[in-house]
Amino acid sequence: MTSPQPRADLTEETRNRLATKLGAAGLRVTEPRLRLAHLLFRHGNRHVTAEALLDEAHASGLRVSQATVYNTLNQFQAAGLLRQVQVDQARSYFDTNIDVHHHFYVEGEARLIDIAADAVDVARLPDSPAGYDVDRVEVIIRLDKSDRS
Amino acid sequence: MTSPQPRADLTEETRNRLATKLGAAGLRVTEPRLRLAHLLFRHGNRHVTAEALLDEAHASGLRVSQATVYNTLNQFQAAGLLRQVQVDQARSYFDTNIDVHHHFYVEGEARLIDIAADAVDVARLPDSPAGYDVDRVEVIIRLDKSDRS
DNA sequence: ATTAATGCAAAATCTTTGCACTTTC
DNA sequence: GAAAGTGCAAAGATTTTGCATTAAT
């Protein structure tokens, strides 16, 4: 029998890396944040809802409250570690990919798929209304299941 | 003194036009729907939240319930008379412009501005994942108030 | 020591729903 | 008169908040 691994693969090295990341973002390094950050960032880019992250945290043995998950997601977003994607009126999605890019979205499946920035060419943009600047341009390609004939 | 106008400028002619529109969309012609449709469609394109429409209805002397406003907006949307725009996790916006077009959005001001389809050039799109078709392409240009230096 | 983070439960928002009654077709 | 719409209030769902306790700087 191997011994239980309450902290999964959160090694000292990973902890240090994440602690640096949090520190650089101006966030205090706490155990819940470290472990949530680990869940979020360990495996490439992903899209996550608050509920999904809470479930995942619990499944991984992390006892964290709903409030902390919401606070953490919002703080990470404010700190630029996550991006919020608005595709569904019901839930918010958080994207660990903070580079400029776009999304496919399949309604009904609640599934987001990243599109690399250079895969879409937004050639021309209208002038912004006077007094306003472009913050960012979001392209969402809404998909339907194709019904073959 | 002129007599009160409980139905504002909802003339017989307008009622007939709207009744035809509802009928063509497969919706029964009822007084609340007719009056809400009038508020929505009388003055060019607009963006409206359920709350705003309810307030407007009450201000115009129409006694409708919140439930009816939500039902009506959802039915109009399902019937293709309105388009729902997802820009804010908090509230849903309904757009009376059902043609292909895009939006500016100013967060914090809860303001949507239409962009004509031909003012944006989405030159290249990635292939959709296998088994899925493009329903529609949505471009949202998020704006910030420009701070002059 | 100060300041911030966390948990818990309650509150706040927006939206939907159940059901009795009314209206449309 | 059958089917659908409406109002009312209650329920649902997601997200936020207040406050006491705990942890980080």
Side-chain angles (χ1 to χ4, degrees), chain B residues 20 44 111 125 129:
Chain B
T20 302
R111 200 149 70 89
L125 284 185

Side-chain angles (χ1 to χ4, degrees), chain B residues 39-96:
Chain B
L39 293 176
L40 287 168
F41 302 120
R42 62 181 163 177
H43 290 140
N45 293 327
R46 52 180 311 203
H47 307 96
V48 130
T49 62
E51 188 190 13
L53 183 58
L54 180 61
D55 289 349
E56 199 175 323
H58 287 166
S60 83
L62 173 58
R63 312 210 331 82
V64 279
S65 69
Q66 191 191 49
T68 296
V69 168
Y70 275 101
N71 286 339
T72 301
L73 287 171
N74 286 331
Q75 287 154 172
F76 280 16
Q77 195 241 340
L81 266 33
L82 291 175
R83 232 187 73 183
Q84 207 162 356
V85 186
Q86 237 71 80
V87 283
D88 185 314
Q89 89 267 36
R91 327 153 108 59
S92 276
Y93 287 83
F94 291 87
D95 190 344
T96 60

Side-chain angles (χ1 to χ4, degrees), chain B residues 20-39:
Chain B
T20 302
K21 185 170 184 160
L22 294 182
L27 298 170
R28 282 194 182 179
V29 178
T30 68
E31 193 64 23
R33 276 186 191 154
L34 222 40
R35 308 256 323 252
L36 290 173
H38 178 54
L39 293 176

